[in-house]
Amino acid sequence: MSKFMVAGFVQLETIVNVDELPLPYKEFDSIPDSVNSGMGGAGFNEAMALRWLGDDVDFMSMIARSMSRRQIQAQLKMADVELSTDYVLPMLDGMPTAVILYAKGRKQTFEDVKDIRTVEYDIDLFESQIQDKDMVLISNCNFCRPLLKLAKKYNKPLALNVRSMRAEKIANKEDFLEAADIVYISDDDIDGDPYDCIDECRKKYDTEIIIMGLGSRGVILYTREDNSVIEYNSVKTHEVVNTVGVGNAVFSAFLHYYVKTGDAKDAIKNALLFSSYKMSFVGTSNGFMTEEQIEQWRNLIWKE
Protein backbone atom coordinates (compact mmCIF):
# COMPACT_ATOMS: atom_id res chain seq x y z
CA MET A 1 0.00 0.00 0.00
CA SER A 2 1.51 3.32 -1.12
CA LYS A 3 0.96 6.59 0.73
CA PHE A 4 -0.35 9.53 -1.28
CA MET A 5 -1.18 13.13 -0.49
CA VAL A 6 -3.81 14.46 -2.91
CA ALA A 7 -4.57 18.19 -2.90
CA GLY A 8 -7.15 19.70 -5.21
CA PHE A 9 -10.76 20.63 -5.83
CA VAL A 10 -13.86 18.94 -4.54
CA GLN A 11 -17.07 20.33 -6.00
CA LEU A 12 -20.71 19.62 -6.58
CA GLU A 13 -21.20 18.44 -10.16
CA THR A 14 -24.19 17.99 -12.38
CA ILE A 15 -23.64 16.11 -15.65
CA VAL A 16 -26.34 16.47 -18.29
CA ASN A 17 -26.35 14.14 -21.30
CA VAL A 18 -27.58 16.05 -24.35
CA ASP A 19 -28.02 15.11 -28.00
CA GLU A 20 -25.65 17.68 -29.46
CA LEU A 21 -23.38 20.63 -28.76
CA PRO A 22 -23.90 23.51 -29.13
CA LEU A 23 -27.27 22.91 -27.53
CA PRO A 24 -30.28 24.26 -29.47
CA TYR A 25 -32.67 26.31 -27.38
CA LYS A 26 -35.65 24.61 -25.78
CA GLU A 27 -37.73 26.15 -23.04
CA PHE A 28 -38.29 22.76 -21.39
CA ASP A 29 -37.18 19.17 -21.95
CA SER A 30 -37.82 16.06 -19.88
CA ILE A 31 -35.46 13.16 -20.59
CA PRO A 32 -35.24 10.14 -18.26
CA ASP A 33 -31.77 9.28 -16.85
CA SER A 34 -30.13 12.30 -18.46
CA VAL A 35 -29.08 14.23 -15.34
CA ASN A 36 -26.53 12.94 -12.84
CA SER A 37 -25.50 14.89 -9.73
CA GLY A 38 -22.84 14.18 -7.14
CA MET A 39 -19.40 15.04 -5.83
CA GLY A 40 -16.55 15.58 -8.25
CA GLY A 41 -13.54 17.75 -8.92
CA ALA A 42 -10.07 16.61 -9.98
CA GLY A 43 -8.69 16.21 -6.47
CA PHE A 44 -11.70 14.31 -5.19
CA ASN A 45 -11.80 12.01 -8.24
CA GLU A 46 -8.10 11.21 -7.96
CA ALA A 47 -8.29 10.53 -4.24
CA MET A 48 -11.26 8.22 -4.78
CA ALA A 49 -9.48 6.30 -7.55
CA LEU A 50 -6.31 5.82 -5.49
CA ARG A 51 -8.29 4.60 -2.51
CA TRP A 52 -10.18 2.18 -4.74
CA LEU A 53 -6.84 0.76 -5.87
CA GLY A 54 -5.84 0.24 -2.25
CA ASP A 55 -3.59 3.22 -1.50
CA ASP A 56 -3.45 5.17 1.75
CA VAL A 57 -4.65 8.69 0.85
CA ASP A 58 -4.69 12.01 2.69
CA PHE A 59 -7.10 14.21 0.73
CA MET A 60 -6.48 17.92 1.32
CA SER A 61 -9.17 20.31 0.13
CA MET A 62 -11.75 22.92 1.17
CA ILE A 63 -15.52 23.06 1.15
CA ALA A 64 -18.16 25.65 2.06
CA ARG A 65 -18.58 26.46 5.71
CA SER A 66 -22.28 25.64 5.31
CA MET A 67 -21.50 22.12 4.09
CA SER A 68 -20.78 19.23 6.42
CA ARG A 69 -18.31 16.41 5.98
CA ARG A 70 -21.31 14.08 6.34
CA GLN A 71 -22.45 15.08 2.86
CA ILE A 72 -19.10 14.01 1.41
CA GLN A 73 -19.15 10.82 3.47
CA ALA A 74 -22.60 10.02 2.08
CA GLN A 75 -21.17 10.23 -1.45
CA LEU A 76 -18.30 7.96 -0.46
CA LYS A 77 -20.69 5.45 1.05
CA MET A 78 -22.61 5.28 -2.23
CA ALA A 79 -19.34 4.59 -4.06
CA ASP A 80 -18.28 1.99 -1.48
CA VAL A 81 -14.98 3.82 -0.81
CA GLU A 82 -13.50 4.68 2.56
CA LEU A 83 -11.77 8.06 2.22
CA SER A 84 -10.97 10.18 5.24
CA THR A 85 -12.34 13.74 5.21
CA ASP A 86 -10.20 14.85 8.17
CA TYR A 87 -8.29 17.28 5.96
CA VAL A 88 -11.26 18.64 4.00
CA LEU A 89 -11.65 22.00 5.70
CA PRO A 90 -14.91 24.05 5.79
CA MET A 91 -13.34 27.42 4.93
CA LEU A 92 -15.17 28.72 1.84
CA ASP A 93 -18.05 31.18 1.55
CA GLY A 94 -19.71 28.92 -1.02
CA MET A 95 -19.34 25.42 -2.44
CA PRO A 96 -17.51 25.11 -5.78
CA THR A 97 -20.00 23.88 -8.36
CA ALA A 98 -19.95 22.76 -11.98
CA VAL A 99 -22.50 21.86 -14.65
CA ILE A 100 -21.20 19.72 -17.52
CA LEU A 101 -23.11 19.23 -20.76
CA TYR A 102 -21.99 16.02 -22.47
CA ALA A 103 -22.77 14.86 -26.02
CA LYS A 104 -21.08 11.97 -27.83
CA GLY A 105 -17.53 12.62 -26.62
CA ARG A 106 -17.81 16.40 -26.52
CA LYS A 107 -18.40 18.43 -23.39
CA GLN A 108 -19.11 21.97 -22.30
CA THR A 109 -18.39 22.92 -18.70
CA PHE A 110 -19.82 25.76 -16.62
CA GLU A 111 -17.85 26.20 -13.41
CA ASP A 112 -18.18 28.46 -10.37
CA VAL A 113 -15.29 27.90 -7.95
CA LYS A 114 -16.57 30.53 -5.47
CA ASP A 115 -13.72 31.95 -3.34
CA ILE A 116 -11.35 28.96 -3.45
CA ARG A 117 -8.79 30.93 -5.51
CA THR A 118 -8.27 33.42 -2.66
CA VAL A 119 -8.56 31.25 0.48
CA GLU A 120 -5.37 29.70 1.84
CA TYR A 121 -5.16 26.16 3.18
CA ASP A 122 -3.61 25.34 6.56
CA ILE A 123 0.11 25.13 5.73
CA ASP A 124 0.90 23.39 9.02
CA LEU A 125 -1.42 20.55 8.00
CA PHE A 126 0.31 20.28 4.64
CA GLU A 127 3.70 20.06 6.31
CA SER A 128 2.70 17.58 9.00
CA GLN A 129 1.07 15.17 6.52
CA ILE A 130 3.55 15.30 3.63
CA GLN A 131 6.49 13.84 5.49
CA ASP A 132 5.62 10.13 5.23
CA LYS A 133 4.20 10.17 1.70
CA ASP A 134 5.46 8.23 -1.32
CA MET A 135 3.90 10.67 -3.80
CA VAL A 136 2.20 14.08 -3.74
CA LEU A 137 -0.51 14.67 -6.36
CA ILE A 138 -1.82 18.19 -6.87
CA SER A 139 -3.83 20.35 -9.22
CA ASN A 140 -2.60 23.81 -10.14
CA CYS A 141 -4.91 25.49 -7.61
CA ASN A 142 -3.65 28.52 -5.70
CA PHE A 143 -4.10 26.82 -2.33
CA CYS A 144 -1.80 23.97 -3.47
CA ARG A 145 1.12 26.32 -4.15
CA PRO A 146 2.82 25.85 -0.72
CA LEU A 147 3.26 22.16 -1.57
CA LEU A 148 5.75 23.04 -4.30
CA LYS A 149 8.35 24.06 -1.73
CA LEU A 150 7.32 21.42 0.81
CA ALA A 151 7.72 18.61 -1.71
CA LYS A 152 11.23 19.82 -2.45
CA LYS A 153 12.03 20.30 1.24
CA TYR A 154 11.07 16.72 2.09
CA ASN A 155 12.28 15.24 -1.22
CA LYS A 156 8.84 13.96 -2.25
CA PRO A 157 8.01 13.26 -5.92
CA LEU A 158 5.40 15.72 -7.15
CA ALA A 159 2.72 14.86 -9.72
CA LEU A 160 0.71 17.65 -11.36
CA ASN A 161 -2.60 17.48 -13.21
CA VAL A 162 -2.62 20.49 -15.55
CA ARG A 163 -6.07 21.69 -16.53
CA SER A 164 -4.95 23.83 -19.45
CA MET A 165 -1.74 24.42 -21.39
CA ARG A 166 -3.06 27.25 -23.51
CA ALA A 167 -0.41 29.92 -23.96
CA GLU A 168 -2.37 32.64 -22.15
CA LYS A 169 -2.75 30.48 -19.03
CA ILE A 170 0.83 29.22 -18.69
CA ALA A 171 2.15 32.32 -16.92
CA ASN A 172 0.14 31.61 -13.75
CA LYS A 173 1.37 28.02 -13.49
CA GLU A 174 5.05 28.24 -14.45
CA ASP A 175 6.10 27.51 -10.87
CA PHE A 176 3.91 24.38 -10.80
CA LEU A 177 5.38 23.05 -14.04
CA GLU A 178 8.94 23.79 -12.94
CA ALA A 179 8.44 21.92 -9.65
CA ALA A 180 6.59 18.86 -10.99
CA ASP A 181 8.30 15.54 -11.62
CA ILE A 182 5.29 13.99 -13.40
CA VAL A 183 2.75 15.96 -15.43
CA TYR A 184 -0.59 15.02 -16.97
CA ILE A 185 -1.90 17.21 -19.81
CA SER A 186 -5.08 16.85 -21.86
CA ASP A 187 -4.97 17.60 -25.57
CA ASP A 188 -8.46 19.16 -25.57
CA ASP A 189 -7.14 22.60 -24.60
CA ILE A 190 -3.75 23.00 -26.25
CA ASP A 191 -2.55 25.08 -29.15
CA GLY A 192 -0.93 23.05 -31.89
CA ASP A 193 0.34 19.48 -32.08
CA PRO A 194 0.43 17.30 -28.91
CA TYR A 195 3.95 16.08 -29.72
CA ASP A 196 5.18 19.66 -30.02
CA CYS A 197 3.60 20.47 -26.65
CA ILE A 198 5.38 17.52 -25.02
CA ASP A 199 8.68 18.49 -26.61
CA GLU A 200 8.34 22.06 -25.38
CA CYS A 201 7.53 20.94 -21.82
CA ARG A 202 10.37 18.43 -21.85
CA LYS A 203 12.93 21.03 -22.88
CA LYS A 204 11.64 23.90 -20.77
CA TYR A 205 10.87 22.13 -17.48
CA ASP A 206 13.04 18.98 -17.62
CA THR A 207 10.05 16.90 -16.50
CA GLU A 208 10.67 13.26 -15.59
CA ILE A 209 7.41 11.93 -17.07
CA ILE A 210 4.75 13.57 -19.22
CA ILE A 211 1.41 11.96 -20.05
CA MET A 212 -0.69 13.57 -22.77
CA GLY A 213 -4.32 12.44 -22.88
CA LEU A 214 -5.58 12.14 -26.47
CA GLY A 215 -9.25 11.37 -25.83
CA SER A 216 -10.49 8.41 -27.84
CA ARG A 217 -7.02 7.91 -29.40
CA GLY A 218 -5.35 7.00 -26.10
CA VAL A 219 -2.27 8.68 -24.57
CA ILE A 220 1.29 9.72 -25.32
CA LEU A 221 3.90 8.83 -22.70
CA TYR A 222 7.24 10.65 -22.46
CA THR A 223 9.89 9.28 -20.07
CA ARG A 224 13.12 11.18 -19.49
CA GLU A 225 14.93 8.05 -18.33
CA ASP A 226 15.20 6.64 -21.86
CA ASN A 227 14.11 9.79 -23.74
CA SER A 228 11.20 7.89 -25.29
CA VAL A 229 7.92 9.28 -26.64
CA ILE A 230 5.39 6.50 -27.23
CA GLU A 231 1.73 6.70 -28.22
CA TYR A 232 -0.53 4.05 -26.71
CA ASN A 233 -3.90 3.34 -28.29
CA SER A 234 -7.00 3.32 -26.13
CA VAL A 235 -8.49 -0.04 -25.17
CA LYS A 236 -12.12 -1.11 -24.91
CA THR A 237 -13.62 -3.03 -22.02
CA HIS A 238 -17.26 -1.87 -22.22
CA GLU A 239 -19.39 0.51 -24.25
CA VAL A 240 -18.51 4.18 -23.76
CA VAL A 241 -21.21 6.04 -21.83
CA ASN A 242 -19.48 9.19 -20.60
CA THR A 243 -15.86 10.38 -20.73
CA VAL A 244 -16.06 13.11 -18.07
CA GLY A 245 -13.36 12.51 -15.44
CA VAL A 246 -11.41 10.01 -17.53
CA GLY A 247 -8.21 12.07 -17.40
CA ASN A 248 -8.28 11.97 -13.60
CA ALA A 249 -8.72 8.19 -13.75
CA VAL A 250 -5.79 7.69 -16.17
CA PHE A 251 -3.45 9.80 -14.07
CA SER A 252 -4.43 8.26 -10.73
CA ALA A 253 -4.06 4.69 -11.95
CA PHE A 254 -0.74 5.48 -13.61
CA LEU A 255 0.65 6.95 -10.39
CA HIS A 256 -0.63 4.00 -8.35
CA TYR A 257 1.23 1.50 -10.50
CA TYR A 258 4.28 3.70 -11.08
CA VAL A 259 4.86 4.15 -7.35
CA LYS A 260 4.30 0.42 -6.87
CA THR A 261 6.58 -0.86 -9.66
CA GLY A 262 8.69 2.03 -10.96
CA ASP A 263 7.84 0.94 -14.53
CA ALA A 264 6.15 3.78 -16.43
CA LYS A 265 5.37 1.77 -19.56
CA ASP A 266 3.74 -1.01 -17.56
CA ALA A 267 1.83 1.52 -15.47
CA ILE A 268 0.33 3.31 -18.49
CA LYS A 269 -1.16 0.07 -19.83
CA ASN A 270 -2.91 -0.53 -16.52
CA ALA A 271 -4.06 3.11 -16.46
CA LEU A 272 -5.64 2.75 -19.91
CA LEU A 273 -7.60 -0.28 -18.71
CA PHE A 274 -8.68 1.53 -15.57
CA SER A 275 -9.94 4.53 -17.54
CA SER A 276 -11.63 2.38 -20.20
CA TYR A 277 -13.85 0.79 -17.58
CA LYS A 278 -14.48 4.24 -16.09
CA MET A 279 -15.99 5.43 -19.39
CA SER A 280 -18.87 2.99 -19.05
CA PHE A 281 -20.22 4.94 -16.05
CA VAL A 282 -21.76 8.40 -15.61
CA GLY A 283 -20.30 10.62 -12.88
CA THR A 284 -16.70 11.69 -12.52
CA SER A 285 -16.08 9.69 -9.34
CA ASN A 286 -17.88 6.48 -10.39
CA GLY A 287 -16.77 3.32 -12.18
CA PHE A 288 -13.41 2.22 -10.83
CA MET A 289 -11.69 -1.14 -11.47
CA THR A 290 -9.90 -3.17 -8.83
CA GLU A 291 -6.34 -4.41 -9.34
CA GLU A 292 -7.71 -7.92 -9.86
CA GLN A 293 -10.05 -6.75 -12.63
CA ILE A 294 -7.23 -4.85 -14.33
CA GLU A 295 -5.05 -7.97 -14.32
CA GLN A 296 -7.84 -10.06 -15.85
CA TRP A 297 -8.45 -7.58 -18.67
CA ARG A 298 -4.72 -7.11 -19.24
CA ASN A 299 -4.28 -10.84 -19.81
CA LEU A 300 -7.13 -10.78 -22.31
CA ILE A 301 -5.83 -7.79 -24.28
CA TRP A 302 -2.03 -8.05 -24.17
CA LYS A 303 -1.71 -11.76 -23.25
CA GLU A 304 1.38 -11.19 -21.15
Side-chain angles (χ1 to χ4, degrees), residues 117-135:
R117 290 195 176 99
T118 58
V119 177
E120 296 181 356
Y121 193 84
D122 186 332
I123 296 178
D124 291 336
L125 268 184
F126 274 152
E127 184 155 18
S128 67
Q129 298 309 119
I130 197 175
Q131 298 180 37
D132 67 341
K133 299 301 181 287
D134 299 304
M135 175 72 70

PDB file of all heavy atoms in Angstrom, residues 117-135:
ATOM      1  N   ARG A 117     -10.040  30.397  -4.963  1.00  0.00           N
ATOM      2  CA  ARG A 117      -8.792  30.934  -5.506  1.00  0.00           C
ATOM      3  C   ARG A 117      -8.105  31.898  -4.537  1.00  0.00           C
ATOM      4  O   ARG A 117      -6.910  32.169  -4.676  1.00  0.00           O
ATOM      5  CB  ARG A 117      -9.063  31.652  -6.831  1.00  0.00           C
ATOM      6  CG  ARG A 117      -9.435  30.733  -7.986  1.00  0.00           C
ATOM      7  CD  ARG A 117      -9.335  31.436  -9.315  1.00  0.00           C
ATOM      8  NE  ARG A 117      -9.589  30.536 -10.432  1.00  0.00           N
ATOM      9  CZ  ARG A 117     -10.748  30.449 -11.073  1.00  0.00           C
ATOM     10  NH1 ARG A 117     -11.767  31.221 -10.700  1.00  0.00           N
ATOM     11  NH2 ARG A 117     -10.893  29.616 -12.073  1.00  0.00           N
ATOM     12  N   THR A 118      -8.841  32.412  -3.561  1.00  0.00           N
ATOM     13  CA  THR A 118      -8.271  33.419  -2.661  1.00  0.00           C
ATOM     14  C   THR A 118      -8.118  32.941  -1.223  1.00  0.00           C
ATOM     15  O   THR A 118      -7.505  33.626  -0.407  1.00  0.00           O
ATOM     16  CB  THR A 118      -9.143  34.688  -2.661  1.00  0.00           C
ATOM     17  OG1 THR A 118     -10.484  34.349  -2.260  1.00  0.00           O
ATOM     18  CG2 THR A 118      -9.198  35.309  -4.049  1.00  0.00           C
ATOM     19  N   VAL A 119      -8.646  31.769  -0.889  1.00  0.00           N
ATOM     20  CA  VAL A 119      -8.558  31.246   0.478  1.00  0.00           C
ATOM     21  C   VAL A 119      -7.350  30.327   0.584  1.00  0.00           C
ATOM     22  O   VAL A 119      -7.133  29.467  -0.273  1.00  0.00           O
ATOM     23  CB  VAL A 119      -9.847  30.485   0.867  1.00  0.00           C
ATOM     24  CG1 VAL A 119      -9.718  29.889   2.270  1.00  0.00           C
ATOM     25  CG2 VAL A 119     -11.045  31.421   0.796  1.00  0.00           C
ATOM     26  N   GLU A 120      -6.561  30.503   1.633  1.00  0.00           N
ATOM     27  CA  GLU A 120      -5.365  29.702   1.837  1.00  0.00           C
ATOM     28  C   GLU A 120      -5.654  28.495   2.718  1.00  0.00           C
ATOM     29  O   GLU A 120      -6.406  28.587   3.690  1.00  0.00           O
ATOM     30  CB  GLU A 120      -4.253  30.551   2.468  1.00  0.00           C
ATOM     31  CG  GLU A 120      -3.765  31.686   1.584  1.00  0.00           C
ATOM     32  CD  GLU A 120      -2.649  32.483   2.225  1.00  0.00           C
ATOM     33  OE1 GLU A 120      -2.315  32.191   3.395  1.00  0.00           O
ATOM     34  OE2 GLU A 120      -2.116  33.396   1.568  1.00  0.00           O
ATOM     35  N   TYR A 121      -5.037  27.379   2.378  1.00  0.00           N
ATOM     36  CA  TYR A 121      -5.163  26.163   3.176  1.00  0.00           C
ATOM     37  C   TYR A 121      -4.205  26.241   4.366  1.00  0.00           C
ATOM     38  O   TYR A 121      -3.285  27.059   4.406  1.00  0.00           O
ATOM     39  CB  TYR A 121      -4.825  24.948   2.299  1.00  0.00           C
ATOM     40  CG  TYR A 121      -5.204  23.616   2.903  1.00  0.00           C
ATOM     41  CD1 TYR A 121      -6.497  23.112   2.772  1.00  0.00           C
ATOM     42  CD2 TYR A 121      -4.276  22.870   3.611  1.00  0.00           C
ATOM     43  CE1 TYR A 121      -6.848  21.884   3.324  1.00  0.00           C
ATOM     44  CE2 TYR A 121      -4.612  21.645   4.167  1.00  0.00           C
ATOM     45  CZ  TYR A 121      -5.901  21.161   4.020  1.00  0.00           C
ATOM     46  OH  TYR A 121      -6.244  19.953   4.582  1.00  0.00           O
ATOM     47  N   ASP A 122      -4.443  25.393   5.354  1.00  0.00           N
ATOM     48  CA  ASP A 122      -3.613  25.336   6.556  1.00  0.00           C
ATOM     49  C   ASP A 122      -2.233  24.748   6.203  1.00  0.00           C
ATOM     50  O   ASP A 122      -2.104  23.531   6.006  1.00  0.00           O
ATOM     51  CB  ASP A 122      -4.318  24.474   7.610  1.00  0.00           C
ATOM     52  CG  ASP A 122      -3.609  24.482   8.946  1.00  0.00           C
ATOM     53  OD1 ASP A 122      -2.375  24.676   8.974  1.00  0.00           O
ATOM     54  OD2 ASP A 122      -4.271  24.281   9.978  1.00  0.00           O
ATOM     55  N   ILE A 123      -1.218  25.584   6.141  1.00  0.00           N
ATOM     56  CA  ILE A 123       0.113  25.132   5.730  1.00  0.00           C
ATOM     57  C   ILE A 123       0.698  24.152   6.740  1.00  0.00           C
ATOM     58  O   ILE A 123       1.431  23.217   6.370  1.00  0.00           O
ATOM     59  CB  ILE A 123       1.043  26.347   5.533  1.00  0.00           C
ATOM     60  CG1 ILE A 123       0.532  27.219   4.386  1.00  0.00           C
ATOM     61  CG2 ILE A 123       2.473  25.886   5.252  1.00  0.00           C
ATOM     62  CD1 ILE A 123       1.349  28.460   4.145  1.00  0.00           C
ATOM     63  N   ASP A 124       0.391  24.319   8.003  1.00  0.00           N
ATOM     64  CA  ASP A 124       0.902  23.389   9.016  1.00  0.00           C
ATOM     65  C   ASP A 124       0.379  21.967   8.775  1.00  0.00           C
ATOM     66  O   ASP A 124       1.103  20.989   8.996  1.00  0.00           O
ATOM     67  CB  ASP A 124       0.509  23.859  10.421  1.00  0.00           C
ATOM     68  CG  ASP A 124       1.235  25.137  10.825  1.00  0.00           C
ATOM     69  OD1 ASP A 124       2.312  25.393  10.270  1.00  0.00           O
ATOM     70  OD2 ASP A 124       0.716  25.873  11.689  1.00  0.00           O
ATOM     71  N   LEU A 125      -0.875  21.868   8.327  1.00  0.00           N
ATOM     72  CA  LEU A 125      -1.423  20.549   7.999  1.00  0.00           C
ATOM     73  C   LEU A 125      -0.691  19.942   6.806  1.00  0.00           C
ATOM     74  O   LEU A 125      -0.368  18.750   6.803  1.00  0.00           O
ATOM     75  CB  LEU A 125      -2.922  20.649   7.685  1.00  0.00           C
ATOM     76  CG  LEU A 125      -3.914  20.446   8.823  1.00  0.00           C
ATOM     77  CD1 LEU A 125      -5.340  20.497   8.291  1.00  0.00           C
ATOM     78  CD2 LEU A 125      -3.659  19.117   9.528  1.00  0.00           C
ATOM     79  N   PHE A 126      -0.458  20.755   5.787  1.00  0.00           N
ATOM     80  CA  PHE A 126       0.315  20.284   4.639  1.00  0.00           C
ATOM     81  C   PHE A 126       1.653  19.706   5.097  1.00  0.00           C
ATOM     82  O   PHE A 126       2.035  18.596   4.715  1.00  0.00           O
ATOM     83  CB  PHE A 126       0.587  21.440   3.668  1.00  0.00           C
ATOM     84  CG  PHE A 126      -0.496  21.703   2.662  1.00  0.00           C
ATOM     85  CD1 PHE A 126      -0.680  22.975   2.130  1.00  0.00           C
ATOM     86  CD2 PHE A 126      -1.328  20.686   2.203  1.00  0.00           C
ATOM     87  CE1 PHE A 126      -1.655  23.231   1.181  1.00  0.00           C
ATOM     88  CE2 PHE A 126      -2.317  20.930   1.256  1.00  0.00           C
ATOM     89  CZ  PHE A 126      -2.474  22.205   0.747  1.00  0.00           C
ATOM     90  N   GLU A 127       2.351  20.470   5.929  1.00  0.00           N
ATOM     91  CA  GLU A 127       3.702  20.064   6.314  1.00  0.00           C
ATOM     92  C   GLU A 127       3.694  18.831   7.211  1.00  0.00           C
ATOM     93  O   GLU A 127       4.551  17.961   7.086  1.00  0.00           O
ATOM     94  CB  GLU A 127       4.443  21.206   7.006  1.00  0.00           C
ATOM     95  CG  GLU A 127       5.885  20.869   7.332  1.00  0.00           C
ATOM     96  CD  GLU A 127       6.777  22.087   7.433  1.00  0.00           C
ATOM     97  OE1 GLU A 127       6.249  23.207   7.586  1.00  0.00           O
ATOM     98  OE2 GLU A 127       8.012  21.916   7.359  1.00  0.00           O
ATOM     99  N   SER A 128       2.728  18.737   8.099  1.00  0.00           N
ATOM    100  CA  SER A 128       2.697  17.583   8.997  1.00  0.00           C
ATOM    101  C   SER A 128       2.360  16.291   8.261  1.00  0.00           C
ATOM    102  O   SER A 128       2.863  15.220   8.616  1.00  0.00           O
ATOM    103  CB  SER A 128       1.682  17.815  10.124  1.00  0.00           C
ATOM    104  OG  SER A 128       0.354  17.855   9.618  1.00  0.00           O
ATOM    105  N   GLN A 129       1.536  16.378   7.209  1.00  0.00           N
ATOM    106  CA  GLN A 129       1.074  15.166   6.525  1.00  0.00           C
ATOM    107  C   GLN A 129       1.945  14.750   5.351  1.00  0.00           C
ATOM    108  O   GLN A 129       1.896  13.602   4.923  1.00  0.00           O
ATOM    109  CB  GLN A 129      -0.373  15.362   6.047  1.00  0.00           C
ATOM    110  CG  GLN A 129      -1.376  15.603   7.166  1.00  0.00           C
ATOM    111  CD  GLN A 129      -1.267  14.564   8.259  1.00  0.00           C
ATOM    112  OE1 GLN A 129      -0.977  14.861   9.412  1.00  0.00           O
ATOM    113  NE2 GLN A 129      -1.485  13.305   7.904  1.00  0.00           N
ATOM    114  N   ILE A 130       2.769  15.635   4.817  1.00  0.00           N
ATOM    115  CA  ILE A 130       3.551  15.304   3.626  1.00  0.00           C
ATOM    116  C   ILE A 130       4.743  14.411   3.938  1.00  0.00           C
ATOM    117  O   ILE A 130       5.246  13.690   3.078  1.00  0.00           O
ATOM    118  CB  ILE A 130       4.034  16.602   2.922  1.00  0.00           C
ATOM    119  CG1 ILE A 130       4.469  16.297   1.483  1.00  0.00           C
ATOM    120  CG2 ILE A 130       5.172  17.258   3.705  1.00  0.00           C
ATOM    121  CD1 ILE A 130       4.833  17.538   0.687  1.00  0.00           C
ATOM    122  N   GLN A 131       5.168  14.395   5.180  1.00  0.00           N
ATOM    123  CA  GLN A 131       6.490  13.842   5.485  1.00  0.00           C
ATOM    124  C   GLN A 131       6.621  12.334   5.283  1.00  0.00           C
ATOM    125  O   GLN A 131       7.718  11.840   5.027  1.00  0.00           O
ATOM    126  CB  GLN A 131       6.881  14.231   6.916  1.00  0.00           C
ATOM    127  CG  GLN A 131       6.994  15.738   7.086  1.00  0.00           C
ATOM    128  CD  GLN A 131       7.377  16.156   8.488  1.00  0.00           C
ATOM    129  OE1 GLN A 131       8.174  15.501   9.144  1.00  0.00           O
ATOM    130  NE2 GLN A 131       6.799  17.252   8.960  1.00  0.00           N
ATOM    131  N   ASP A 132       5.522  11.590   5.388  1.00  0.00           N
ATOM    132  CA  ASP A 132       5.618  10.131   5.231  1.00  0.00           C
ATOM    133  C   ASP A 132       5.062   9.638   3.895  1.00  0.00           C
ATOM    134  O   ASP A 132       4.854   8.445   3.704  1.00  0.00           O
ATOM    135  CB  ASP A 132       4.889   9.417   6.383  1.00  0.00           C
ATOM    136  CG  ASP A 132       3.378   9.627   6.345  1.00  0.00           C
ATOM    137  OD1 ASP A 132       2.922  10.585   5.682  1.00  0.00           O
ATOM    138  OD2 ASP A 132       2.651   8.839   6.984  1.00  0.00           O
ATOM    139  N   LYS A 133       4.850  10.542   2.947  1.00  0.00           N
ATOM    140  CA  LYS A 133       4.196  10.167   1.696  1.00  0.00           C
ATOM    141  C   LYS A 133       5.184   9.655   0.649  1.00  0.00           C
ATOM    142  O   LYS A 133       6.331  10.077   0.575  1.00  0.00           O
ATOM    143  CB  LYS A 133       3.411  11.357   1.133  1.00  0.00           C
ATOM    144  CG  LYS A 133       2.300  11.856   2.048  1.00  0.00           C
ATOM    145  CD  LYS A 133       1.287  10.768   2.339  1.00  0.00           C
ATOM    146  CE  LYS A 133       0.161  11.242   3.237  1.00  0.00           C
ATOM    147  NZ  LYS A 133       0.569  11.434   4.640  1.00  0.00           N
ATOM    148  N   ASP A 134       4.692   8.732  -0.189  1.00  0.00           N
ATOM    149  CA  ASP A 134       5.460   8.227  -1.321  1.00  0.00           C
ATOM    150  C   ASP A 134       5.300   9.114  -2.551  1.00  0.00           C
ATOM    151  O   ASP A 134       6.172   9.125  -3.428  1.00  0.00           O
ATOM    152  CB  ASP A 134       5.008   6.809  -1.676  1.00  0.00           C
ATOM    153  CG  ASP A 134       5.216   5.837  -0.536  1.00  0.00           C
ATOM    154  OD1 ASP A 134       6.360   5.727  -0.057  1.00  0.00           O
ATOM    155  OD2 ASP A 134       4.229   5.190  -0.108  1.00  0.00           O
ATOM    156  N   MET A 135       4.181   9.829  -2.641  1.00  0.00           N
ATOM    157  CA  MET A 135       3.895  10.667  -3.804  1.00  0.00           C
ATOM    158  C   MET A 135       2.923  11.761  -3.390  1.00  0.00           C
ATOM    159  O   MET A 135       2.021  11.529  -2.577  1.00  0.00           O
ATOM    160  CB  MET A 135       3.285   9.838  -4.937  1.00  0.00           C
ATOM    161  CG  MET A 135       2.835  10.608  -6.173  1.00  0.00           C
ATOM    162  SD  MET A 135       4.193  11.242  -7.178  1.00  0.00           S
ATOM    163  CE  MET A 135       4.852   9.723  -7.878  1.00  0.00           C
TER     164      MET A 135
END
